[in-house]
Amino acid sequence: MSTMIHRLQSIIQEVGRSPDTQHALDLIAGRLIKDLVANACTIFLATNTEPPVLVLKASYGLNPENINQVQRRFGEGLIGVVAERAEPINLVNATEHKNFILVPDSGETSFPIYLGVPIVSHRKVLGVIAIQRAENAFNEDDEAFLATLAAQLATSIEHVESQGRFKLIGETKSEPTTHIVKGVAGSPGMAIGEAIVLNRGVKLESVPDKKVTDQAPELRSFNDAIRKVHDDLTDQADRMRGALPEEECALFVAYAQMLNSGSLIDDTHKRIGEGNWAPASWRDTVEDHACVFDQMEDEYLAERANDIRDLGRRVLRKLMLEQSPYIDFPDRTVLVGDEITATDLADVPLECLCAILSAHGSGSSHVAILAHALGIPAVMGMSNLPVKQMDGLQVIVDGYGGFAYVDPNRKLLTEYEKYLREEEEIEKDLLCLKNEPAITTDNHRISLYVNSGLMADHTPSLRSGAEGVGLYRTEIPFQIRDRFPSEEEQYHIYRNVLETFNGMPVVLRTLDVGGDKPLSYFPIKEANPFLGWRGVRITLDHPEIFVTQVRAMMRANIGQNNLQILLPMISGQSELEDSLKLIHRVKDEIEDELGEPLQMPQIGAMIEVPSAVYQIEDICSLVDFVSIGTNDLTQYLLAVDRNNENVAELFSSLHPAVLKAMCQIVEGAAKSGTPVSVCGEMAGDPLGVMALLGMKIESLSMSVGSLLKAKKVIKTFSLVELESMLAEAILMTDPAHVRELYASKLDQRELGGLIRAGK
Ligand code: PEP
Ligand code: MG
């Protein structure tokens, strides 16, 4: 078994390093012949046409002239049967099968033993691999091996395909394309800008390619880095000599020798000569050398791959020290990375940042929410984003549809430039609504608030006519520090928001870390973080953190009296009771210190865990208001991780089950007259606004960029018609149909431009 895993891993690794799909497929065919002792191997890939056609892309043991010539429809021939049924076929007498078709001049007749497996990714058949033998039937192990390989290859093929299109270095640059890279919508809007790949220091695999014309400084800094690491290693060997046995010290000497080996240095010099900068040239050399050792069956030698990678990191660290950490950001920077984090945004001057593209993360992840707050488009979960090859390329970002064009051609640019102009017109029209109240056509007034967490949000929020802050995520100021902020620091942050929104309600949420919101200085390691220690569960276990925070909030409210406190992740009544006890204790303490009474702020609970939906009446008996967190409520009701791009398509706050749960919250809260607001992303989605109004929700809190769009929607419809749309939506079973229903109603009023590119 272990040899099977070893063989699989080594094939996948080689495929991962292939420069293009053709190379990868030839390699697989060759390896399968060897590993499964077969006589022939053919690989067909499906075209992107409708209907798709299977085209022979690689073959081993058959006539090579058939490549790209032989084609099969789904259902035609044995290959077509495997593709149509999307399941393996294992035959001992293939030539007698009714679907058998002989490839002309192939010599296929002599190989009656046949095993074909489909290559499937995300429910789509990408191709078929077939192997043949003259004798000895394929057994269960062979079948399992090929099926496992095909499943892993599906991802690699998709990846290599998209990377292969963007070769910048060492080959002539590919022509501008119309190639689309898909992801999930993270924040709406459109942008055309220049990709900047953030370079996060010392991870070899995340070093991006960078084209250089002047190679001399690259060679110089590389040679310097090698010399410095070599000196460090010999120093370390000398220092260790007293403390370690000679044998262990020898490791440092061996490292130093390995470093000076001609091929590591020569290969890197050659790559720099081809026009890549030193860190990426070094990255490729290290990976090439490490892979040679990876392939070795001998465990001792295979272990040397780790030594080479370790050396690689040491040299890279020195190289990176020489690179200025401050990039000269272009005016229209599109930040690109494997996993852009909330703190990465702080590295780019906000006036330059025009969009975000991230290979991982989903539409409801925190970086997407921040992008929304900043009013810039973001596309997340772009698993085929050619991150390393993108630095400096032009990109079109469509944050409505959740896709991007990398290095687009003139025709696409012209089209999107037109959309951008239309978008500007829409925004200009919306600005006229700034000072108007949000009232439905049948005179129902809706209150609109903003979600915040960054100081930078405040001015645009006030400018767009927000009536207060409906959700201030206090974890954001906690996340951008390297330790817990003191009571005094927190006091100033909260005081600033309360004063900025003087006379308007400001809802400060107590610390909601855990899950996908880490604090670098308070690491939590859990198998299931979303079901673990997060939100109020942490702050109740650490009353010192909670009490300090609530003290800072209440002190900041003295003389302001516009504070409301919101408790996150409430999953039961006792959490609420315990939190309230602590809040009252803080109030008593401050009153004692001041010697005068303090106004008690309103206290609310977030309804974002399914148990809270079913206990809504009990919860309402303890609080002044409730706020529905649709991001987490959707995540927990549908069992869809809000950050996992593999299931991002299943994440929908318009799912009829989510709508029903929200109706139940509204009905339950109405019994005690407890006000209900919504502060998840749904409240800022024009389609979500339509659904929420239909539930008679009168208070919405959203990212500032969504505010005027929401107001436009509210002013367009009557509550009566939105109620009847909701009644229709709730009877549907498929979230896509609910979306279509609301989108068609928006289109009928010519407001489709609020949810997609252009007018
Ligand atoms: C929510 O879960 O909907 C919410 C508003 O909170 P957060 O996104 O910060 O978890
Ligand atoms: Mg939440």
Side-chain angles (χ1 to χ4, degrees):
M1 199 58 189
S2 64
T3 51
M4 192 196 276
I5 289 178
H6 192 255
R7 275 189 293 165
L8 276 169
Q9 275 174 348
S10 92
I11 299 182
I12 297 292
Q13 270 170 3
E14 278 190 54
V15 169
R17 289 190 303 125
S18 290
D20 52 47
T21 317
Q22 190 58 52
H23 185 274
L25 296 178
D26 290 341
L27 191 147
I28 296 162
R31 284 290 306 261
L32 284 175
I33 292 283
K34 190 168 137 247
D35 289 2
L36 292 179
V37 201
N39 300 89
C41 175
T42 50
I43 304 179
F44 284 73
L45 289 190
T47 56
N48 265 332
T49 51
E50 201 40 67
V53 179
L54 297 153
V55 181
L56 180 68
K57 284 289 175 188
S59 95
Y60 201 98
L62 298 184
N63 187 345
E65 277 169 22
N66 293 316
I67 303 287
N68 286 325
Q69 300 305 319
V70 177
Q71 298 196 353
R72 296 279 180 268
R73 288 187 307 277
F74 276 47
E76 183 191 13
L78 288 178
I79 291 289
V81 169
V82 175
E84 189 179 60
R85 292 196 200 152
E87 63 182 30
I89 299 189
N90 188 348
L91 302 170
V92 281
N93 213 338
T95 41
E96 282 175 16
H97 191 282
K98 68 177 170 35
N99 283 77
F100 181 79
I101 301 176
L102 181 67
V103 178
D105 306 327
S106 66
E108 214 177 24
T109 35
S110 47
F111 308 131
I113 316 273
Y114 183 99
L115 176 60
V117 300
I119 308 170
V120 186
S121 174
H122 293 103
R123 303 185 186 190
K124 199 171 146 203
V125 176
L126 300 181
V128 174
I129 308 181
I131 46 173
Q132 287 160 270
R133 276 183 194 153
E135 51 193 22
N136 287 336
F138 290 108
N139 62 22
E140 253 177 45
D141 278 352
D142 298 329
E143 198 176 318
F145 177 80
L146 199 60
T148 316
L149 180 71
Q152 290 204 34
L153 276 180
T155 323
S156 306
I157 286 175
E158 274 191 323
H159 203 66
V160 170
E161 272 240 291
S162 91
Q163 312 290 306
R165 292 175 201 258
F166 302 104
K167 282 272 133 200
L168 280 180
I169 316 284
E171 288 172 18
T172 43
K173 180 178 170 300
S174 52
E175 282 299 302
T177 58
T178 52
H179 179 58
I180 192 166
V181 187
K182 289 191 181 147
V184 288
S187 167
M190 268 178 306
I192 300 176
E194 184 181 329
I196 294 294
V197 179
L198 260 201
N199 206 337
R200 269 203 242 110
V202 292
K203 260 170 103 186
L204 267 172
E205 58 276 21
S206 55
V207 172
D209 284 343
K210 227 177 245 222
K211 206 171 186 160
V212 286
T213 37
D214 187 4
Q215 284 131 13
E218 296 301 313
L219 287 170
R220 216 176 307 122
S221 74
F222 173 66
N223 293 341
D224 279 356
I226 292 282
R227 191 178 35 74
K228 283 182 191 148
V229 174
H230 186 267
D231 291 352
D232 285 356
L233 288 167
T234 22
D235 283 358
Q236 270 166 337
D238 288 344
R239 262 185 286 123
M240 296 290 173
R241 237 165 221 125
L244 282 178
E246 188 56 33
E247 235 175 72
E248 305 293 323
C249 295
L251 179 71
F252 294 95
V253 179
Y255 261 35
Q257 281 167 353
M258 213 191 277
L259 194 60
N260 268 354
S261 90
S263 55
L264 277 178
I265 294 177
D266 292 348
D267 288 359
T268 311
H269 283 180
K270 188 164 160 266
R271 290 190 160 99
I272 294 176
E274 285 167 2
N276 211 346
W277 70 326
S281 301
W282 176 242
R283 172 202 71 203
D284 289 346
T285 304
V286 169
E287 209 29 51
D288 265 7
H289 283 248
C291 279
V292 173
F293 286 106
D294 275 338
Q295 309 289 324
M296 301 194 173
E297 304 259 342
D298 179 308
E299 263 182 39
Y300 175 79
L301 287 175
E303 197 44 45
R304 300 285 71 75
N306 288 337
D307 294 345
I308 295 213
R309 292 197 176 97
D310 183 21
L311 264 183
R313 278 187 291 275
R314 284 165 188 257
V315 173
L316 184 68
R317 254 193 304 261
K318 297 280 183 221
L319 271 174
M320 286 317 208
L321 280 181
E322 301 208 348
Q323 306 289 332
S324 159
Y326 300 103
I327 308 173
D328 214 1
F329 288 98
D331 288 348
R332 302 199 57 72
T333 297
V334 176
L335 195 59
V336 174
D338 277 325
E339 179 130 37
I340 304 271
T341 64
T343 40
D344 287 335
L345 299 195
D347 289 343
V348 188
L350 285 183
E351 65 279 10
C352 297
L353 187 61
C354 77
I356 292 169
L357 298 179
S358 182
H360 298 289
S362 85
S364 54
S365 61
H366 280 88
V367 68
I369 291 175
L370 275 183
H372 214 146
L374 295 168
I376 52 174
V379 185
M380 312 293 296
M382 309 178 82
S383 44
N384 289 322
L385 194 66
V387 174
K388 278 191 235 151
Q389 286 96 34
M390 283 180 68
D391 202 73
L393 289 188
Q394 196 170 37
V395 276
I396 295 175
V397 179
D398 188 325
Y400 297 104
F403 58 84
Y405 292 102
V406 181
D407 198 18
N409 63 15
R410 186 75 265 179
K411 185 163 167 274
L412 272 170
L413 278 170
T414 314
E415 185 183 337
Y416 270 83
E417 278 157 3
K418 176 174 156 274
Y419 287 156
L420 274 176
R421 281 194 300 276
E422 289 179 358
E423 181 108 333
E424 275 166 23
E425 279 169 37
I426 295 176
E427 263 165 33
K428 227 163 83 203
D429 288 350
L430 289 176
L431 265 183
C432 308
L433 301 178
K434 194 184 88 171
N435 296 318
E436 292 186 23
I439 302 183
T440 59
T441 54
D442 50 355
N443 272 328
H444 289 274
R445 172 91 165 76
I446 309 296
S447 302
L448 298 184
Y449 303 101
V450 280
N451 290 350
S452 171
L454 292 174
M455 296 276 188
D457 301 349
H458 297 165
T459 321
S461 302
L462 280 173
R463 262 200 242 128
S464 62
E467 297 165 68
V469 177
L471 170 67
Y472 185 93
R473 292 182 164 98
T474 60
E475 56 276 7
I476 296 174
F478 276 66
Q479 282 182 302
I480 57 181
R481 285 178 165 68
D482 54 8
R483 53 170 174 77
F484 284 108
S486 66
E487 182 182 322
E488 217 40 38
E489 281 174 295
Q490 292 188 55
Y491 166 84
H492 286 292
I493 297 166
Y494 307 149
R495 182 80 189 176
N496 181 297
V497 204
L498 293 169
E499 280 179 352
T500 309
F501 291 86
N502 192 25
M504 302 177 220
V506 172
V507 181
L508 299 185
R509 182 173 70 183
T510 61
L511 191 64
D512 185 18
V513 288
D516 65 328
K517 293 181 253 192
L519 288 182
S520 57
Y521 46 89
F522 188 67
I524 303 169
K525 283 228 166 351
E526 291 176 315
N528 287 308
F530 276 116
L531 302 181
W533 212 34
R534 62 167 298 208
V536 78
R537 299 172 182 179
I538 295 184
T539 47
L540 285 177
D541 287 350
H542 277 279
E544 76 287 7
I545 299 173
F546 188 73
V547 164
T548 306
Q549 182 170 44
V550 175
R551 272 186 66 88
M553 288 178 178
M554 288 216 188
R555 282 181 49 223
N557 192 35
I558 296 175
Q560 276 297 128
N561 295 330
N562 55 344
L563 166 71
Q564 300 183 1
I565 296 179
L566 182 60
L567 300 161
M569 275 295 287
I570 294 293
S571 60
Q573 220 173 335
S574 65
E575 286 165 344
L576 207 45
E577 283 162 353
D578 292 346
S579 307
L580 286 167
K581 257 186 228 147
L582 288 173
I583 294 174
H584 281 284
R585 202 181 85 192
V586 169
K587 178 173 174 273
D588 294 345
E589 258 173 38
I590 303 179
E591 282 178 339
D592 278 353
E593 287 163 18
L594 285 176
E596 54 184 78
L598 202 66
Q599 185 174 316
M600 182 66 185
Q602 290 202 346
I603 309 292
M606 286 208 66
I607 307 298
E608 50 184 350
V609 177
S611 59
V613 177
Y614 297 102
Q615 294 196 314
I616 188 68
E617 290 170 42
D618 304 319
I619 288 174
C620 286
S621 69
L622 295 173
V623 292
D624 303 301
F625 67 97
V626 291
S627 187
I628 308 178
T630 52
N631 307 335
D632 278 314
L633 186 61
T634 306
Q635 148 164 280
Y636 293 125
L637 276 175
L638 302 182
V640 176
D641 177 345
R642 61 194 271 185
N643 288 302
N644 183 343
E645 63 269 16
N646 287 328
V647 288
E649 282 191 16
L650 295 176
F651 188 99
S652 169
S653 298
L654 288 172
H655 192 296
V658 180
L659 298 180
K660 281 182 192 158
M662 285 201 278
C663 289
Q664 194 163 337
I665 297 169
V666 174
E667 278 163 29
K671 292 192 182 150
S672 54
T674 309
V676 179
S677 64
V678 177
C679 63
E681 291 308 292
M682 184 183 184
D685 169 15
L687 308 181
V689 171
M690 294 168 75
L692 295 173
L693 258 61
M695 295 173 200
K696 294 205 183 61
I697 288 173
E698 293 172 354
S699 162
L700 303 175
S701 188
M702 62 197 73
S703 305
V704 58
S706 305
L707 211 117
L708 293 178
K709 290 182 186 171
K711 204 183 266 189
K712 180 79 188 170
V713 172
I714 294 166
K715 288 171 76 69
T716 302
F717 294 95
S718 71
L719 202 59
V720 176
E721 57 186 334
L722 291 171
E723 280 172 2
S724 79
M725 280 179 221
L726 181 73
E728 201 180 324
I730 245 164
L731 293 179
M732 294 175 160
T733 46
D734 185 342
H737 295 161
V738 178
R739 237 196 121 71
E740 279 161 25
L741 167 74
Y742 283 113
S744 69
K745 302 285 178 188
L746 264 193
D747 280 329
Q748 279 166 19
R749 307 288 166 100
E750 295 186 353
L751 289 182
L754 298 181
I755 52 163
R756 62 179 82 90
K759 276 195 167 171

